[in-house]
Amino acid sequence: MSQKTNIDISDDARLLHLINTEDTHEIEGLFHAARELCSRHYRNAVYFRGLIEFTNYCKNDCYYCGIRKGNQKLDRYRLTLKQILDCCRTGDALGFKTFVLQGGEDPRFTDERMVEIISAIRKEYPDTAITLSIGERSRESYEALFKAGANRYLLRHETACGNHYRSLHPGAMSLSERKQCLYALKDIGYQVGTGFMVGSPFQTPETLLEDLRFLREFAPHMVGIGPFIPQADTPFGVYPQGPLTLTLKMVALSRLILPKALIPATTALGTISPDGRERALLAGANVVMPNLSPIDARQKYALYDNKICTGDEAAKCRFCIERRIKSHGLVPDMSRGDYQD
Ligand code: 5AD
Ligand code: FES
């Protein structure tokens, strides 16, 4: 229970009411309660993760995603090991203690190749957390990558409603497989992040409630939430983007459900509103993920249109975000920022 707003997070009717409410007073109360709860566990710290987008090849064909295999307009790239290590070097010099390796489901990055990459990073940066965000793989694969030195894994469930999941993905993908991956990752010992888009086509307040129920059940260490943003060369290119306030409400509700979770103020939020990320931090988020990818890779990692920071040096984003955090009385924290049990 949050004392300020008296929100009982086990009460589904109450959660649904908050998903739907347009009462600004109530919404502000929700954001405030979420920020308070976050500060109680993590003070005013905001943790930094350096994002390395190392491949935009993907064997999947998710209807919303700009790097889907069916997008023939996209200029594809893969970073070499040397390029990845260069990104880490830049990140290390800027003080990052977490590297996030994110990419499409690219069959070229076999277990062997990933083990080679993870081992090389681990050897040079023994104390830095390595987070992977490379989609669905077998349990054996997840085990091998964990053994090689990966610590964390991000895999959004995208929507916790099976029917909705089927309307966002081709038949080859299923919610149950996605969930199996998530449970395997947790079982192996990764700190696990899941999450979803807000305002994706065919989403309803009820499917969002399902998302919250799934968070309650799965209890991830991290939750990534961002608005859906159309990408013109995808089947969902004509749908409207997700609403800002609803996205912030879902961030805040996730915080109330998971008081200790690490929740990023996502780039997608910064894309739909100039102060979207700051507003997420004030609604219970406590992580930022500035981009360390080489500039010429940035535009090509086009999950959605108009993505911010695609032309900016890593150092510029690092300090830009720091300034934004400080301007709201929050405190940039460059430590690893592990989940605190
Ligand atoms: N709009 C917003 N987020 C998107 N993602 C993929 N495509 C889009 C889009 N069009 C998100 C998915 C995925 C993460 C890497 O990016 O939630 O898990
Ligand atoms: Fe990239 Fe501000 S965070 S320019």
Side-chain angles (χ1 to χ4, degrees):
M1 288 264 251
S2 156
Q3 288 150 2
K4 275 238 149 52
T5 48
N6 229 16
I7 298 165
D8 176 1
I9 53 115
S10 65
D11 179 349
D12 286 357
R14 182 83 181 121
L15 293 178
L16 194 57
H17 167 79
L18 289 167
I19 290 169
N20 283 318
T21 185
E22 289 182 15
D23 178 337
T24 50
H25 192 68
E26 197 169 30
I27 294 171
E28 284 308 317
L30 170 64
F31 293 169
H32 190 253
R35 183 65 243 169
E36 286 252 311
L37 189 57
C38 185
S39 299
R40 213 178 298 160
H41 287 285
Y42 289 104
R43 295 163 285 93
N44 284 334
V46 178
Y47 298 101
F48 280 64
R49 321 297 195 201
L51 181 64
I52 303 169
E53 297 154 333
F54 70 98
T55 173
N56 71 352
Y57 282 86
C58 192
K59 67 173 159 62
N60 290 335
D61 225 3
C62 309
Y63 303 137
Y64 48 83
C65 184
I67 69 168
R68 66 200 299 271
K69 80 166 174 226
N71 182 3
Q72 285 169 6
K73 290 202 183 152
L74 188 68
D75 193 2
R76 305 278 171 173
Y77 74 93
R78 290 186 180 98
L79 300 188
T80 61
L81 175 57
K82 181 182 173 304
Q83 286 176 306
I84 294 173
L85 288 172
D86 282 345
C87 295
C88 294
R89 225 155 278 146
T90 305
D92 181 64
L94 290 168
F96 287 94
K97 288 281 172 280
T98 297
F99 299 136
V100 181
L101 294 179
Q102 183 171 93
E105 292 193 16
D106 179 350
R108 287 269 195 102
F109 287 94
T110 58
D111 292 349
E112 236 180 353
R113 181 77 177 133
M114 286 313 300
V115 165
E116 184 189 6
I117 293 167
I118 294 162
S119 310
I121 299 175
R122 180 51 67 235
K123 188 163 159 228
E124 243 181 277
Y125 307 100
D127 305 324
T128 297
I130 300 174
T131 305
L132 302 177
S133 177
I134 51 176
E136 296 185 12
R137 300 173 82 100
S138 67
R139 185 183 173 105
E140 294 69 42
S141 170
Y142 289 148
E143 277 167 354
L145 308 186
F146 187 73
K147 232 173 94 195
N151 316 94
R152 306 179 186 148
Y153 206 105
L154 307 176
L155 181 67
R156 292 188 180 175
H157 64 275
E158 313 295 358
T159 173
C161 165
N163 280 335
H164 187 213
Y165 194 95
R166 276 189 290 278
S167 65
L168 300 182
H169 303 97
M173 294 174 73
S174 76
L175 178 60
S176 65
E177 272 183 48
R178 179 64 56 127
K179 284 188 178 176
Q180 265 181 34
C181 288
L182 286 166
Y183 280 99
L185 287 162
K186 210 180 194 194
D187 190 48
I188 291 165
Y190 284 94
Q191 289 171 50
V192 183
T194 191
F196 50 95
M197 289 176 290
V198 177
S200 60
F202 316 115
Q203 187 172 66
T204 64
E206 286 72 27
T207 66
L208 284 171
L209 177 62
E210 283 302 315
D211 289 317
L212 296 179
R213 288 162 60 102
F214 179 63
L215 295 184
R216 216 164 48 194
E217 169 196 317
F218 180 61
H221 306 94
M222 301 167 279
V223 189
I225 295 173
F228 162 74
I229 304 173
Q231 203 291 328
D233 305 313
T234 64
F236 287 174
V238 296
Y239 284 90
Q241 71 182 27
L244 174 65
T245 305
L246 182 58
T247 309
L248 296 171
K249 281 202 270 180
M250 297 312 291
V251 167
L253 288 167
S254 301
R255 168 62 61 201
L256 296 188
I257 289 171
L258 300 163
K260 298 181 186 173
L262 291 146
I263 303 181
T266 53
T267 304
L269 263 167
T271 298
I272 64 161
S273 169
D275 62 351
R277 286 171 299 176
E278 292 91 312
R279 290 177 67 175
L281 295 173
L282 296 174
N286 61 342
V287 169
V288 289
M289 297 173 70
N291 206 318
L292 295 175
S293 312
I295 300 267
D296 55 340
R298 302 260 185 111
Q299 300 94 298
K300 299 180 187 163
Y301 202 80
L303 301 173
Y304 46 80
D305 288 332
N306 307 315
K307 195 170 149 208
I308 51 169
C309 302
T310 50
D312 300 303
E313 291 293 344
K316 184 180 166 218
C317 289
R318 151 82 174 78
F319 293 107
C320 167
I321 293 191
E322 175 167 337
R323 184 174 43 73
R324 290 164 185 265
I325 292 168
K326 285 183 174 164
S327 73
H328 291 278
L330 301 172
V331 183
D333 188 324
M334 295 304 292
S335 69
R336 266 177 66 129
D338 280 296
Y339 182 85
Q340 295 167 14
D341 243 335

